[in-house]
Structures are given as C-alpha cells and as structure tokens.
Amino acid sequence: MDAEVFVHSSVAAVLSQLNSAGMLGDQTTACEAARAALLGGGDFVVWDGSVPSQQLAGIYAARLRRARKRGTETLALPSTVDILTRLEATQVRIGCIFSSDRTWAFMLFFADDASAVLACTGVRRVER
C-alpha cells in the first residue's frame, strides 16, 4: 500500500465522489467530522491495493487498545473495529482524510471496488 491511487485537491470532486450513492453517510459517527475536514481544506488519499478486513480488524483493535491506554481521542474507532470484524474475509481498500491543520486523520474503509464506504474512524494526531 505504498503507492497512492489518487490525491484530490478539489474538495468539490472529493465530496461529489464520496456523496454519490451516500458513500460518506452515517456508517459511523466519524463520517460527519470527516466530511467537515474535507470542507475545511483537508487532503484526501486512497492507497493502491486492498487488505483482508480481518487483518484490518486486528490492526485497528490493537490501535483501539493503545488509544485507550494512552488517552488518545478517537471517533468511532470501536464501531469501525466491529464493522471490519463482521466483514469476515472481504477485501477492503483504505483511504484517509487529513484535516487541514493535520490534527485529525480520518481513515475510510472502502469496498474492494471503491463503490462504497464501509466504515470511517477518526484519530486525533499527537504532536511529537
């Protein structure tokens, strides 16, 4: 997942794509904040390739445990882990919306053909 499929600089193009067929709707409570990040000038990327949802469920369950331990603010991370777990062996594409100030990263999990957003979570980025 090193190569980026596309990075949109046009907020209108991104919103048009994500809102078509309700792609960025109410899958999780982080969707509204992700949409606001785009409207606020955030960047959007979708990485090339796909990953089994069960692999992602394990990764994001570990991230949830670390976030809780460290007190990191998240949006809809538990529900995203639940959604990824229920998908079983489904292949998932991954995208991200970064807020314009880079304080939030919103991970979007798409159907393998990128026709639908399956889940969305947000994590407040820690300054180092």
Side-chain angles (χ1 to χ4, degrees):
M1 291 193 311
D2 294 329
E4 296 175 359
V5 173
F6 55 91
V7 177
H8 287 285
S9 58
S10 165
V11 172
V14 173
L15 287 176
S16 174
Q17 179 178 357
L18 292 177
N19 284 328
S20 65
M23 283 183 71
L24 191 55
D26 60 357
Q27 293 87 342
T28 68
T29 56
C31 291
E32 185 175 334
R35 188 179 306 105
L38 273 175
L39 287 170
D43 295 320
F44 176 65
V45 61
V46 175
W47 287 280
D48 200 11
S50 58
V51 181
S53 61
Q54 290 303 295
Q55 182 179 350
L56 290 171
I59 291 167
Y60 280 85
R63 288 182 181 181
L64 174 59
R65 288 189 298 274
R66 281 193 306 274
R68 285 179 172 161
K69 183 177 179 180
R70 294 177 180 164
T72 304
E73 187 176 357
T74 66
L75 293 174
L77 187 51
S79 58
T80 295
V81 170
D82 289 344
I83 291 167
L84 292 170
T85 300
R86 287 193 313 263
L87 291 174
E88 297 177 6
T90 303
Q91 292 292 112
V92 178
R93 296 178 66 93
I94 304 170
C96 188
I97 297 169
F98 297 100
S99 62
S100 62
D101 63 3
R102 296 291 206 211
T103 58
W104 282 90
F106 297 94
M107 300 303 297
L108 280 67
F109 301 92
F110 294 90
D112 192 30
D113 64 359
S115 64
V117 173
L118 305 171
C120 174
T121 186
V123 178
R124 183 179 290 277
R125 299 180 69 189
V126 181
E127 290 188 38
R128 295 178 190 227

